[in-house]
Amino acid sequence: MSNTDTGTGAKAQQPLDDEAAAERLSTAPVEERPEDTVPSLGAVGWLRWTWRQLTSMRVALILLFLLSLAAVPGSLIPQTSSNALRVQQWKAAHSVLAPLYEKLQLFDVYSSVWFSAIYILLFVSLAGCIVPRSWQFVGVLRSMPPAAPRNLTRMPVYATWRTGAAAPDVTAAAERLLGGRRFRAHTLGDAVAAEKGYLREVGNLLFHISLFGLLIAMAWGSVAGGQGGKLVLEGQGFSNTMTQYDDFEGAAFYGADDLDAFGFKLDGFSATYQTKGDQLGTPRDFTAHIRYWTGTDNSRLRKGTIKVNEPLEVAGSKVYLIGHGYSPVVTVRNAKGEVVFQGPTPFLPQDNNLTSTGAIKVGDYGTKDGKKVQLGFSGIFSPTAPVTASMTTGWNSLFPAAADPKLIITAYEGDLGTDAGLPQNVYQLDIAHMKQLSQDGNKAAVALKPGQGWTLPDGYGTVSFDGYQQWASFNIAHRPGNSVALGSAALAVLGLIGSLLIQRRRVWVRATEAEDGTTVVEMAGLARSESARIAEELAELAVALQDDAPALPEESETPVNEPTEKRG
């Protein structure tokens, strides 16, 4: 048997005589040449041109890249929807950039106008691409593989030999062989046409449909989901009602009446940190110990824990632990010794060692010298205060755990501004209408350890630092599309693997009777993309066909399992 290639040496191959043999092995819509896509003048022509561009795979990939690029600020800049406290801290630390970021909606990236515009365009682009592509693929599945070209030697992979078997017997054997190898095969004339690898296009469609499903899941979560934040002190609780939230972001189909019925109590919060080495103070574990209930009966409690990246799933919602800090417990008495303020006040962390700042506002102090007076204390809480710290050197904490806590407060008197009805930051003191107290000619400020007190100057009473409590901040999220998004992402990966690993290819086998009475067997293969696999597969098929169409001895100089692979 012999192996011949009539097209050897011709780098620029001539067009195939039978174009059906070289038609695309993909059902992707054919991209027209620029000169073919120029629309005619008029509104209708421009609309058609715009639609073609929007639904092209090139534009879909560009939009997908832009969407991933647009999501980057959401991971670098604190988002109001997930952590309003961090947004406030960021704005306070970047007073110059904050107004610009607000105008650009960088604190609400995923609900911004520009992010939504990219999202909607990608949605439309995928829909316009998937529908015609799926329809074309259905047509391919309903049709049989195309007939063999007249000149098989022009195929990329080709092999031939002579056999003494009759041509009809060889054709029948080839069809059985290809069918056994899971090719779709049929005989047309003197040749067998077979095709395999349809799962490649199934993988392509699965990937795009899954991506479309992922977008639908995200949209569903946006219009039918919501989330809010809540800061909870140790010993206190939370009920999933609108009045309990510190901040809440609803949606068109998710409001106060749609909140899941549940609640929880924060029994305690534990945190562990690295105590030695280069990573001194690095957090190792944060755990909120809770008891929770579902429904309206809050007497049937179940114990649970919430950790970072380990949310509590209850009643269709998830409760995430997003932060924690300290709340100094302070008691303020007026000049008569009456308690005018008592309790914990949450302070916000300012660094990794949880040096925290806050404001203690005593709006019900009463009167002094016949006029109404309010007191305010601007404070710093240092969980592990440096030994040599002072009012001039600073009180930055040395360690995030409360090893040697101190509360540093500065006293003010006047009008807090809380009676004006205007919104006010609970963590900052508005001193526009307040006067700082003085003591011995200096600013009235003191550093207190737990259990210590301070007599305020000018007869304003006393302040005592009774201790501290820990607080934890939670994000309560209801996202109905999460399971769909997860399933779509998994299917997208599966489809991508199929589209990359599966090769769609065609094989033709022709058996014709020669003048000397022998049968000439020709085999050719065509793959969608250049791959050595098609040559190997054709060689295996040629060897397997030898059982029914053995090569004549005088034609066996060249092994049949080495078919010619032509590259343009």
Side-chain angles (χ1 to χ4, degrees):
M1 57 187 167
S2 64
N3 188 350
T4 63
D5 179 5
T6 61
T8 303
K11 293 185 178 180
Q13 297 182 11
Q14 299 179 356
L16 298 180
D17 295 335
D18 192 338
E19 294 184 359
E23 64 183 8
R24 293 169 62 100
L25 297 184
S26 170
T27 59
V30 178
E31 289 194 13
E32 300 176 355
R33 295 187 300 273
E35 58 269 21
D36 296 329
T37 60
V38 176
S40 59
L41 295 177
V44 176
W46 280 110
L47 288 174
R48 288 177 178 174
W49 179 84
T50 302
W51 177 253
R52 289 194 192 103
Q53 299 303 313
L54 180 60
T55 56
S56 66
M57 186 55 60
R58 178 178 63 254
V59 173
L61 292 175
I62 292 175
L63 290 173
L64 184 61
F65 173 75
L66 289 177
L67 189 69
S68 60
L69 191 64
V72 172
S75 61
L76 300 178
I77 301 173
Q79 298 297 293
T80 304
S81 59
S82 60
N83 196 336
L85 295 179
R86 287 192 60 193
V87 172
Q88 291 183 353
Q89 296 174 17
W90 198 96
K91 289 181 179 179
H94 304 83
S95 57
V96 177
L97 290 176
L100 176 62
Y101 279 22
E102 286 183 342
K103 291 181 179 180
L104 296 176
Q105 298 179 294
L106 294 181
F107 297 115
D108 299 280
V109 168
Y110 305 110
S111 59
S112 64
V113 174
W114 47 273
F115 188 88
S116 300
I118 299 174
Y119 181 89
I120 293 173
L121 286 175
L122 179 59
F123 193 90
V124 175
S125 178
L126 284 175
C129 178
I130 290 173
V131 172
R133 189 164 184 165
S134 301
W135 184 252
Q136 291 179 19
F137 185 59
V138 170
V140 170
L141 292 178
R142 295 177 62 183
S143 62
M144 297 302 293
R150 288 193 296 271
N151 195 344
L152 291 178
T153 59
R154 292 177 177 174
M155 291 294 100
V157 183
Y158 175 78
T160 184
W161 70 92
R162 290 177 178 268
T163 181
D169 296 338
V170 175
T171 302
E175 184 173 356
R176 289 195 305 270
L177 173 64
L178 292 169
R181 297 294 180 94
R182 296 183 180 179
F183 279 84
R184 290 182 64 191
H186 73 114
T187 302
L188 188 61
D190 59 353
V192 178
E195 190 168 0
K196 190 178 183 180
Y198 291 93
L199 287 179
R200 178 186 179 89
E201 188 61 21
V202 172
N204 279 327
L205 290 174
L206 180 62
F207 172 76
H208 291 92
I209 294 174
S210 299
L211 188 59
F212 191 75
L214 185 62
L215 293 178
I216 292 178
M218 293 173 60
W220 182 20
S222 297
V223 301
Q227 60 183 353
K230 177 62 178 178
L231 186 148
V232 182
L233 292 169
E234 286 180 315
Q236 297 184 4
F238 166 79
S239 180
N240 193 31
T241 59
M242 189 66 71
T243 57
Q244 289 279 298
Y245 281 97
D246 295 330
D247 56 83
F248 180 80
E249 180 183 3
F253 300 102
Y254 189 78
D257 297 334
D258 303 308
L259 295 176
D260 301 315
F262 72 92
F264 62 88
K265 294 182 179 180
L266 180 62
D267 293 331
F269 184 88
S270 59
T272 57
Y273 306 92
Q274 183 75 24
T275 57
K276 58 183 179 180
D278 296 337
Q279 297 182 343
L280 178 68
T282 301
R284 294 305 178 195
D285 180 72
F286 293 147
T287 303
H289 304 278
I290 65 168
R291 287 176 295 161
Y292 66 96
W293 69 89
T294 58
T296 57
D297 185 7
N298 60 3
S299 61
R300 302 180 63 180
L301 300 176
R302 288 179 287 180
K303 289 186 177 181
T305 58
I306 305 176
K307 297 185 177 183
V308 178
N309 296 326
E310 296 182 17
L312 172 69
E313 298 187 31
V314 53
S317 296
K318 289 186 177 182
V319 183
Y320 296 88
L321 175 64
I322 60 174
H324 88 289
Y326 295 96
S327 300
V329 180
V330 173
T331 299
V332 180
R333 301 176 183 272
N334 59 18
K336 299 178 181 180
E338 299 171 341
V339 176
V340 293
F341 178 89
Q342 186 177 40
T345 301
F347 278 32
L348 293 181
Q350 303 298 312
D351 55 31
N352 292 333
N353 286 330
L354 298 188
T355 305
S356 306
T357 60
I360 301 171
K361 303 179 182 182
V362 186
D364 297 327
Y365 177 84
T367 59
K368 186 177 184 299
D369 298 333
K371 64 177 183 179
K372 184 179 179 180
V373 174
Q374 293 180 329
L375 293 183
F377 300 90
S378 178
I380 300 174
F381 180 80
S382 182
T384 304
V387 178
T388 58
S390 66
M391 296 298 179
T392 57
T393 60
W395 294 91
N396 287 344
S397 178
L398 302 178
F399 193 73
D404 185 17
K406 284 187 179 180
L407 175 64
I408 302 90
I409 54 175
T410 304
Y412 295 82
E413 65 88 16
D415 182 8
L416 292 170
T418 55
D419 297 334
L422 299 175
Q424 193 176 93
N425 192 333
V426 297
Y427 303 103
Q428 294 180 354
L429 193 65
D430 184 1
I431 60 175
H433 303 285
M434 304 198 75
K435 176 183 176 182
Q436 185 173 5
L437 299 180
S438 60
Q439 190 174 36
D440 300 329
N442 298 317
K443 296 179 180 179
V446 69
L448 301 175
K449 290 185 176 182
Q452 293 182 339
W454 177 33
T455 300
L456 296 173
D458 301 330
Y460 279 96
T462 61
V463 178
S464 62
F465 177 31
D466 303 330
Y468 65 89
Q469 291 180 334
Q470 294 191 88
W471 58 259
S473 58
F474 300 92
N475 178 264
I476 299 91
H478 177 78
R479 294 296 182 191
N482 282 353
S483 57
V484 177
L486 178 61
S488 297
L491 291 176
V493 173
L494 183 63
L496 185 61
I497 292 174
S499 65
L500 293 176
L501 298 183
I502 299 174
Q503 292 293 327
R504 191 168 170 195
R505 61 272 193 200
R506 289 172 181 165
V507 172
W508 295 276
V509 181
R510 173 176 287 146
T512 56
E513 186 176 348
E515 295 180 356
D516 58 358
T518 61
T519 298
V520 178
V521 182
E522 293 180 287
M523 297 187 70
L526 176 66
R528 182 188 181 195
S529 58
E530 290 191 9
S531 173
R533 176 58 184 163
I534 184 64
E536 297 174 1
E537 189 169 27
L538 193 70
E540 294 175 0
L541 292 171
V543 171
L545 191 57
Q546 294 295 302
D547 295 337
D548 297 287
L552 296 176
E554 63 272 13
E555 299 289 340
S556 59
E557 294 92 354
T558 305
V560 74
N561 60 344
E562 296 181 3
T564 301
E565 182 178 2
K566 300 167 61 178
R567 299 182 181 272

